[in-house]
């Protein structure tokens, strides 16, 4: 059975929202469309193609970056500016063809376990702007507290994502484990750490892929703050990841995935801490 | 399934084609005669169906035909002919990089999309841009050496 | 060693390369006649079940459905899908459709309809009632007393006298002994006795199987198919649909990779039957999932190696016992497991040699021919065991190999003992540059810097491993290849061959051989392969035979043509043929008194005097299967925290005799190496508890991409094989066999973890490290 029975090609956000409003449950916004094969529908839908709605682009503003929801992963990879780190996440994202076609908005609005960007956005303290009759911004913690699409009422769309720049004294770490470069992640970890005079004064740490939905790890973060960075500090913190529902990925056991997650988190924190100390983002 | 007419440019020629709502760009292109676009997996994982859409490579199997509406599509048929092959086509043929050849149209289009942006890509850049094109015959070695030689012959300025 | 060649041993451009790079319509799927019906299969959801009833009425009544086939409306003819010489050594245990299904993905029924969507809907509308039987999902379960019998049908049989006992789930057995293994082991100072498991994998040609059929205007059936074995396809289709061979034409266009999986008649019987029944063109294309589940795989084989050695490193005993899982059907069951022994046992000298090969049926996907063909599985075992033995002896594993490997002029009793379904053919080794392969490869990888794993520290640890390999070139006194050549007015030649280029470049290699003998440029050779109506017979592309066997047929044929050319030129120049020399498309009088061009000779022979077509046909069989030899080396780096392995460099030094086309020989090597690497590190079949493959997709079953590849260095080490065309041996299969053992040995050298089961995933390495308590 075909996924779609019809399509509309709106030329603006307003047109797209109007179409979705009118279609109700029948309508389905399509970003890059590369993950549609993972979805199962009982009935064919009407595709509302967002690619012409003017939602693509990256702008530096408000001490960070405003990223249009339809910005491709390739655009994230190619963008460069002080404090910009999403290129690292994009660099490890599937293949060139899919980086070209997939969008940031698509990757974060319907979250699959292996999605990478939610992990990074949680660590970076991003916020997500929703186009609506009552436009609003939702912080990443709330946005990813459940399947994000739950937050969107008929006719609402993710418009843009704001990512604060990684500033001096801060560092970002990102680790992703796969069998080959282009593969579903087995464990993705991201960390943003602030270091002042050798002491960690702020930390956001997130984990995904190894668990059903990406999460922040507040206990790990708290164990870092106020400490001088060192390997034993990282290891003590990582021990606080806690009991989770570990996935069994591609024939790898839950036991191994749990271990891999802890290594990924430790490495991401270590990378972030070193970057902060060494004055790199 | 509703068929609808879309306009798009294929290999420089403006076309008006009827497409099904659920039809992939791969299906459309092969249906109207562009058989250089190959079907290897139909799940976006092998790159045999790679085409260039608006200057960027995509897997035609993962692209709905409607997503190409108003767009510019380039397939392998656009690149060259026996008398005047594209430098990439000649480079790969000369280097023994074409074995069964089934992955090659997609491989060449991925390489072209990079070459159109950057005159002298490094090995690492080639690998990044060609990472979505699986080849089971060559082990990629001859493909890489063909690309290196092409860059060198064009006076790579890296 | 090198001779003064004009065309061979040169890297001419592969003759079809540019057309393929231009994206011309050259594959079966590009040539489908308009209006072709689409065929889809209904596959078994059960690993083992009896079909109690099938109701196809609802499917037949769907508008656009043209034909439904199932066991109730097709002939029941036992056959094998294996494309092998006739009579085949594989059991006749397969039917177009049967009343029983034997693995998840087995055939139940097929539909031909106007569109793929209608065909899919019709498949879904077929009502089947199954009686589910208990399934056999492992080698061990297959051999248990009271195990469910997978082939209990009374009409399955072995076509030739081989050991075949379906009542015990035994698809094949073969064995041999020289001397006494137990005595050899008893007399050893050091013994290794270990088992190694080479796992399920798929060939993954980027073009999945595709075939279509149509009735030509004179009522003959034409099948265009992506096959390695067009003549076997014709014979087996004729057998299965009960049509005379003369009514069938099989055409092989360009094919998008095969690696053995297209040495199998997997779809053409149904395409043929549908085409005949509907009298319309019918197309069948496998999806990637079908390619994984319902086509063919590498036979998983557990190999027990027993090696005994004296302290001085001489071998007293060399035993190999292979247990092969052939899956639900016995395609290549005997010959693959037999090759485990016949290809790897002769590599090392030993007084006491023992071999058994046992292939059992299971309710799992079906094994088949796969590049390497048994040698892949056994080389993993042998070459791992060699390193284990070297460790016990306290010697350099490289030196142990140097001390014991076979050399030119030696023979092995194994050659005579193990053939393909019958006794083998005695041979002594002619060309062999294995020693040089080892030294050159060792130098390239930096073997000298290799240290003991016990002295390594830090999170990231590096290791170097190696493996030695041998294969064969053709199946002696079984395989046959033939070629015909005719001359055209412009001095060009049509070279018509049954040999089947599956993307390897064999059309080019054979054209070079023809051009060398004919004395012309390769551009003057117009190659056509393969078409059962037009080209002479050839068994097809398998058993590393095309260059060595079909190449000799081309050379013989070209030499016959040269005689005719010289005869005509002699008439034209008033000279005896012995007074003439040919080359550069010209015949010259040796005394310099005159010359005629090939074009003039052709025109003369066709139009002027004693008109006749200059042309010939030749067949060739081989009496040897000269092994190519290879030494592989690899350096890896392992993250001891996660077990993740990174390949740093891979070196393959190979002696394939004269490389007819060095670039293509390198390409064969590099492709085989990469396939082997990917197999060693990530490729595997994952199964549910009920025997269903759970990762039948390129998203889940991972091949290496360009981004994953290490530096690969190929070293062609020339030798001259006197029995081969211009000194050539084979090159296509041998290089897939090294990665599994070389990487296993490198892992051990890096971290002291010995893995005896592939693939070498990060988790397996991590578990090994954890078991050792050797965490960084």
């Amino acid at each position: 059975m075909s996924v779609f029975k019809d399509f509309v090609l709106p030329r603006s956000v307003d047109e797209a929202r109007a179409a979705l409003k009118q279609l109700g449950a029948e309508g389905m916004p399509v970003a890059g469309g590369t993950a549609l094969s993972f979805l199962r529908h009982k009935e064919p839908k009407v595709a509302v193609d967002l690619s012409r709605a003017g939602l693509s682009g990256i702008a530096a503003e408000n001490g960070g970056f405003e990223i249009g929801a339809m910005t491709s992963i390739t655009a994230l990879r190619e963008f460069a500016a002080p404090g910009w780190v999403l290129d690292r996440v994009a660099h490890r994202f599937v293949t060139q063809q899919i980086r070209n076609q997939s969008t940031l908005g698509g990757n974060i609005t319907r979250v699959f376990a292996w999605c990478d960007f939610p992990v990074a956005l949680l660590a970076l303290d991003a916020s997500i702007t929703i186009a609506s009759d009552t436009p609003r911004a939702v912080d990443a913690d709330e946005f990813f507290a459940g399947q994000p699409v739950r937050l969107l009422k008929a006719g609402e769309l993710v418009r843009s994502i704001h990512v604060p720049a990684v500033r001096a004294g801060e560092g970002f770490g990102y680790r992703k484990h796969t069998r080959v470069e282009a593969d579903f992640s087995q464990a993705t970890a991201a960390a943003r750490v602030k270091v002042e005079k050798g002491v960690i004064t702020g930390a956001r740490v997130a984990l995904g892929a190894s668990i059903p939905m990406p999460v922040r790890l507040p206990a790990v973060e708290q164990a870092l703050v106020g400490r001088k960075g060192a390997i034993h500090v990282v290891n003590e913190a990582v021990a606080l990841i806690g009991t989770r529902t570990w996935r069994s990925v591609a024939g790898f056991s839950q036991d191994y995935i749990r271990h891999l997650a802890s290594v990924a988190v430790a490495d991401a924190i270590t990378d972030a801490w070193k970057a902060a100390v060494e004055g790199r983002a | 399934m509703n068929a609808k007419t879309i306009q798009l440019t294929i290999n420089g020629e403006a076309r008006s084609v009827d497409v099904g709502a659920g039809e992939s760009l791969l299906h459309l292109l092969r249906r109207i005669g562009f058989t250089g676009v190959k079907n290897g997996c139909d799940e976006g994982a092998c790159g045999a169906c790679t085409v260039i859409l608006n200057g960027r490579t995509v897997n035609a199997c993962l692209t709905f035909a409607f997503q190409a509406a108003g767009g510019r599509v380039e397939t392998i048929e656009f690149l060259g002919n026996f008398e005047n092959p594209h430098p990439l086509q000649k480079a790969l043929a000369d280097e023994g990089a074409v074995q069964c050849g089934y992955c090659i149209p997609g491989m060449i289009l991925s390489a072209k999309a990079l070459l159109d942006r950057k005159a002298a890509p490094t090995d690492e850049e080639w690998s990044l841009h060609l990472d979505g094109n699986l080849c089971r015959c060559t082990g990629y070695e001859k493909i890489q050496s063909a690309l290196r030689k092409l860059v060198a012959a064009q006076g790579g300025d890296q | 060693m090198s001779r003064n060649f004009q065309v061979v041993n040169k890297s001419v451009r592969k003759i079809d390369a540019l057309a393929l790079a231009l994206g011309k319509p050259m594959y079966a799927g590009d040539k489908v006649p308009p209006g072709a019906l689409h065929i889809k299969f209904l596959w078994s959801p059960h690993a083992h079940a009896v079909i109690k009833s099938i109701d196809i009425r609802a499917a037949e009544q769907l508008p656009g459905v043209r034909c439904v086939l199932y066991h109730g409306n097709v002939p029941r003819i036992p056959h094998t899908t294996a494309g092998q010489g006739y009579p085949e050594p594989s059991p006749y245990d397969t039917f177009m459709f049967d009343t029983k299904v034997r693995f998840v993905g087995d055939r139940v029924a097929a539909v031909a309809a106007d569109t793929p969507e209608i065909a899919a809907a019709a498949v879904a509308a077929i009502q089947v009632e199954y009686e589910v039987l208990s399934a056999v999902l492992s080698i061990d379960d297959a051999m248990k007393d009271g195990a469910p019998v997978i082939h209990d049908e009374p009409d399955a049989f072995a076509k030739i006298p081989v050991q075949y006992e379906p009542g015990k789930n035994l698809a094949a057995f073969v064995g041999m002994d020289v001397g006494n293994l137990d005595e050899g082991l008893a007399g050893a100072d050091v013994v290794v006795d270990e088992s190694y498991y080479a796992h399920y994998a798929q060939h993954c040609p980027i073009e999945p199987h595709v075939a279509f059929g149509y009735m030509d205007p004179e009522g003959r059936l034409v099948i265009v198919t992506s096959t390695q074995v067009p003549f076997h396809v014709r014979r087996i289709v004729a057998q299965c649909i009960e049509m005379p061979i003369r009514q069938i034409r099989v055409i092989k266009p360009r094919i998008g990779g095969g690696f053995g999986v297209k040495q199998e008649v997997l779809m053409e019987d149904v395409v043929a039957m549908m085409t005949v029944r509907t009298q319309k063109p019918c197309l069948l294309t496998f999806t990637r999932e079908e390619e994984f589940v319902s086509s063919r795989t590498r036979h998983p084989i557990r190999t027990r190696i027993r090696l005994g050695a004296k302290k001085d490193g001489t071998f007293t005993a060399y035993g190999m016992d292979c247990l092969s899982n052939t899956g639900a059907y016995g395609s290549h069951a005997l010959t693959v497991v037999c090759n485990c022994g016949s290809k790897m046992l002769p590599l090392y000298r030993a007084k006491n040699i023992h071999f058994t090969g046992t292939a059992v049926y299971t309710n799992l996907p079906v094994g088949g021919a796969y590049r390497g063909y048994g040698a892949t599985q056994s080389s993993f075992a042998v070459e791992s065991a060699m390193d284990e033995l070297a460790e016990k002896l306290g010697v350099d594993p490289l030196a142990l190999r140097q001390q014991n490997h076979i050399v030119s002029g030696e023979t092995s009793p194994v050659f005579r003992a193990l053939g393909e379904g019958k006794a083998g053919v005695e041979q002594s080794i002619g060309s062999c540059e294995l020693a040089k392969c080892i030294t050159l490869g060792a130098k390239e990888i930096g073997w000298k810097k290799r240290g003991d794993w016990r002295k390594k520290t830090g999170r990231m640890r590096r290791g170097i491993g190696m493996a030695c390999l041998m294969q064969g070139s053709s199946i002696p006194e079984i395989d046959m290849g033939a070629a015909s050549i005719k001359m055209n007015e412009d001095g060009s030649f049509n070279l018509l061959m049954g040999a089947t280029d599956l993307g390897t470049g064999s059309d080019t290699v054979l054209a070079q051989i023809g051009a060398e003998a004919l004395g012309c440029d390769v551009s003057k050779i117009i190659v056509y392969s393969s078409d059962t109506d037009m080209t002479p017979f050839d068994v097809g592309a398998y058993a590393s035979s095309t260059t060595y066997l079909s190449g000799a047929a081309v050379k013989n044929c070209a030499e016959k043509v040269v005689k005719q050319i010289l005869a005509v030129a002699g008439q034209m120049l008033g000279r005896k043929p012995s007074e003439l020399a040919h080359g550069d498309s010209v015949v010259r009088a040796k005394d310099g008194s005159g010359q005629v061009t090939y074009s003039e000779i052709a025109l003369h022979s066709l139009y002027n005097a004693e008109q006749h077509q200059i042309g010939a046909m030749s067949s060739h069989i081989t009496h040897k299967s000269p092994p190519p030899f290879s030494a592989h080396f690899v350096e890896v780096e392992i993250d001891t925290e996660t077990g993740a392995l990174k390949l740093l460099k891979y070196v393959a030094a190979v002696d394939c005799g004269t490389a007819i086309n060095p670039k293509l020989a390198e390409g064969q090597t590099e492709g085989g190496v990469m396939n082997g690497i990917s197999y060693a590190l990530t490729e595997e079949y994952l199964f549910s508890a009920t025997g269903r493959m759970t990762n039948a997709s390129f998203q889940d079953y991972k091949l290496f991409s360009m981004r994953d590849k290490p530096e690969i260095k190929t070293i062609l080490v020339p030798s001259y094989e006197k029995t081969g065309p211009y000194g050539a041996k084979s090159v296509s299969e041998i290089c897939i066999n090294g990665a599994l053992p070389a990487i296993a040995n490198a892992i051990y050298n890096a971290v002291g973890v010995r893995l005896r089961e592939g693939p070498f995933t990060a988790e397996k390495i991590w578990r090994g490290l954890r078991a050792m308590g050797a965490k960084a």
Side-chain angles (χ1 to χ4, degrees), chain A residues 1-7 44-45, chain B residues 1-4 18-24 27 31 64-66, chain C residues 115 117:
Chain A
M1 187 194 65
S2 177
V3 191
F4 295 124
K5 58 181 178 183
D6 199 359
F7 57 85
K45 305 232 176 194
Chain B
M1 189 194 298
N2 293 341
K4 259 184 171 174
D18 288 346
V19 302
E23 184 172 20
S24 70
H27 189 270
R31 177 163 66 78
F64 290 96
F66 66 74
Chain C
T115 69
E117 291 78 16

Side-chain angles (χ1 to χ4, degrees), chain B residues 55-132:
Chain B
R56 296 284 192 178
T57 54
V58 297
N59 294 306
C61 71
L62 276 193
T63 308
F64 290 96
F66 66 74
Q67 291 180 290
R72 285 173 292 111
V73 175
E74 287 173 51
T75 72
I76 192 70
E77 285 89 349
F78 192 48
L79 261 61
N81 53 44
F82 283 110
E83 294 70 35
N84 195 14
H86 188 280
L88 281 163
Q89 291 169 319
K90 185 174 179 307
L92 264 65
D94 286 345
E95 188 59 15
V98 182
Q99 288 194 29
C100 87
Y102 202 77
C103 72
I104 292 296
M107 194 76 73
I108 287 175
L109 287 164
S110 287
K112 177 185 184 281
L114 174 58
L115 209 53
D116 285 349
R117 294 193 139 70
K118 194 162 194 296
T122 62
D123 273 8
E124 202 182 353
E125 286 165 334
W126 284 124
S127 292
L128 183 67
H129 286 256
L130 272 58
D131 66 350

Side-chain angles (χ1 to χ4, degrees), chain C residues 595-730:
Chain C
Q595 65 171 49
V596 284
T597 66
Y598 278 14
S599 176
E600 288 164 344
I601 294 167
L603 286 165
H604 186 83
S605 74
L606 292 169
Y607 296 109
N608 295 357
E610 292 180 38
Q611 287 91 326
H612 67 286
Q613 170 71 60
I614 293 178
M617 183 182 290
S618 276
S619 307
H620 189 69
I621 63 166
T622 62
H623 301 284
K624 283 181 74 174
S625 179
F629 293 92
S630 191
H632 286 199
F633 295 82
V634 63
E635 183 169 21
V636 305
E637 181 177 83
I638 290 168
D639 180 344
T640 54
E641 287 284 344
T642 62
L645 180 151
K646 188 179 173 197
L647 282 170
L648 301 174
K649 182 169 180 173
Y650 199 104
V651 179
V654 59
D655 158 20
C656 61
T658 301
I660 300 295
N661 185 315
K663 255 186 194 153
L664 296 182
E666 287 170 10
Q668 283 298 300
T669 303
E670 290 148 2
V673 162
M674 181 57 82
N675 189 330
I677 288 172
S678 196
Y679 175 53
L681 294 181
T682 69
E683 294 179 38
E684 64 179 323
Y685 274 45
L686 302 172
F687 292 106
S688 73
T690 53
R692 185 177 60 83
M693 184 186 183
T694 57
N695 61 333
S697 129
F698 275 165
Q699 291 173 339
D700 300 310
Y701 180 108
K702 297 312 289 189
L703 309 191
F704 270 39
S705 78
M706 190 183 286
R707 213 172 156 190
D708 302 299
K709 83 174 271 295
E711 179 189 355
I712 299 176
K713 173 82 179 169
T714 302
I715 305 171
L716 296 180
V717 181
S719 69
Y720 195 92
E721 173 56 40
K722 284 179 190 156
T723 65
Y726 301 111
K729 299 186 282 189
S730 78

Side-chain angles (χ1 to χ4, degrees), chain C residues 167-421:
Chain C
K168 295 179 178 171
N169 289 328
L170 183 72
F173 177 85
V174 59
M176 63 156 280
D177 278 282
V178 173
N180 184 309
L181 185 79
D182 290 334
E183 283 175 16
L185 290 169
D189 294 322
V190 172
V191 170
V192 166
D193 180 355
E194 294 290 352
S195 288
Y196 307 84
Y197 180 72
H199 52 290
Y200 261 114
Q202 221 265 341
H203 315 63
C204 302
I206 306 300
E207 174 202 46
H209 282 79
V210 52
F212 64 85
Y214 61 93
M215 303 306 295
D216 81 5
E218 291 166 351
R220 291 173 77 234
L221 170 64
V222 182
I223 301 168
V224 179
T225 176
S226 62
T227 185
Q228 297 172 222
V229 287
F231 287 88
H232 294 330
V233 168
R234 183 178 65 171
R235 174 175 45 79
I236 293 171
V237 165
Q239 177 190 2
C240 290
I241 71 167
E242 299 179 303
M243 186 183 244
I245 278 180
R246 65 180 175 276
Q247 284 293 101
I248 303 171
R249 175 181 180 187
V250 176
I251 298 171
K252 176 223 71 115
R254 294 293 95 190
I255 55 180
F259 316 107
V261 79
K262 292 172 182 171
Q263 191 196 333
E264 203 85 21
V265 184
L266 283 178
M267 51 185 1
E268 292 92 342
D269 58 332
V270 166
V271 169
M273 188 61 98
M274 289 289 196
T275 305
V276 169
R277 291 262 171 104
T278 64
Q279 294 288 302
K280 288 174 183 293
C282 290
L283 168 68
L284 178 48
T285 307
F286 271 178
T287 64
R288 185 53 58 185
E289 182 180 8
E290 289 169 330
E291 191 69 31
F292 275 113
V293 175
S294 298
S295 73
R296 293 292 178 260
T297 66
R298 186 178 294 291
H299 288 87
I301 296 180
R302 191 164 71 219
T303 301
R304 179 186 182 192
I305 296 290
R306 283 175 284 176
L307 274 177
K310 291 285 192 190
K311 277 182 188 145
D312 66 2
T314 50
F315 289 1
T316 58
Y318 184 3
M320 181 190 290
D321 296 283
C322 298
L323 266 175
S324 172
N325 169 10
T326 192
Y329 296 93
S331 172
H332 299 270
L334 172 71
T335 41
V336 163
V337 81
C338 183
N339 262 266
C340 290
S342 64
K343 294 292 179 274
M344 282 304 284
L345 283 171
L347 182 55
Y348 299 110
R349 292 173 218 110
K351 284 207 181 76
N352 302 289
I353 305 170
H354 162 82
F355 174 68
T356 62
T358 308
V360 299
Y361 287 121
T362 63
N363 294 115
L364 288 169
V366 185
Y370 190 159
R371 192 178 199 175
Y373 203 86
T376 310
Q377 292 93 325
S378 65
S379 62
F380 172 38
V382 171
E383 291 302 295
S384 297
M386 285 296 287
D387 266 41
E388 299 205 53
L389 183 66
E391 172 100 1
K392 284 192 172 180
L393 286 166
V395 300
D396 181 353
L398 183 146
L400 185 66
R401 289 176 172 88
Q402 286 175 320
Q403 183 184 349
N404 289 289
H405 74 69
I406 196 166
V407 298
S408 185
E410 288 183 322
T411 185
S412 165
V414 176
F415 291 129
R416 184 164 34 85
L418 295 178
E420 297 228 332

Side-chain angles (χ1 to χ4, degrees), chain C residues 52-88:
Chain C
K52 296 188 74 176
S53 67
I54 295 189
D55 187 345
I56 61 168
R57 283 170 297 177
E60 282 184 321
Q61 282 160 15
L62 281 179
V65 171
R66 305 293 171 174
C67 185
V68 181
L69 298 180
Y70 74 110
H71 66 78
N73 62 11
V74 300
R76 180 178 174 84
I77 296 169
H79 66 282
T80 176
T81 59
Q84 298 179 288
Y86 177 84
E88 302 94 331

Side-chain angles (χ1 to χ4, degrees), chain C residues 25-47:
Chain C
M26 297 174 79
Y27 304 90
D30 303 338
K31 299 165 184 279
V32 182
L37 304 179
H38 296 263
I39 300 172
K40 283 210 180 290
F41 277 102
L42 172 62
W43 303 114
S44 170
H46 302 295

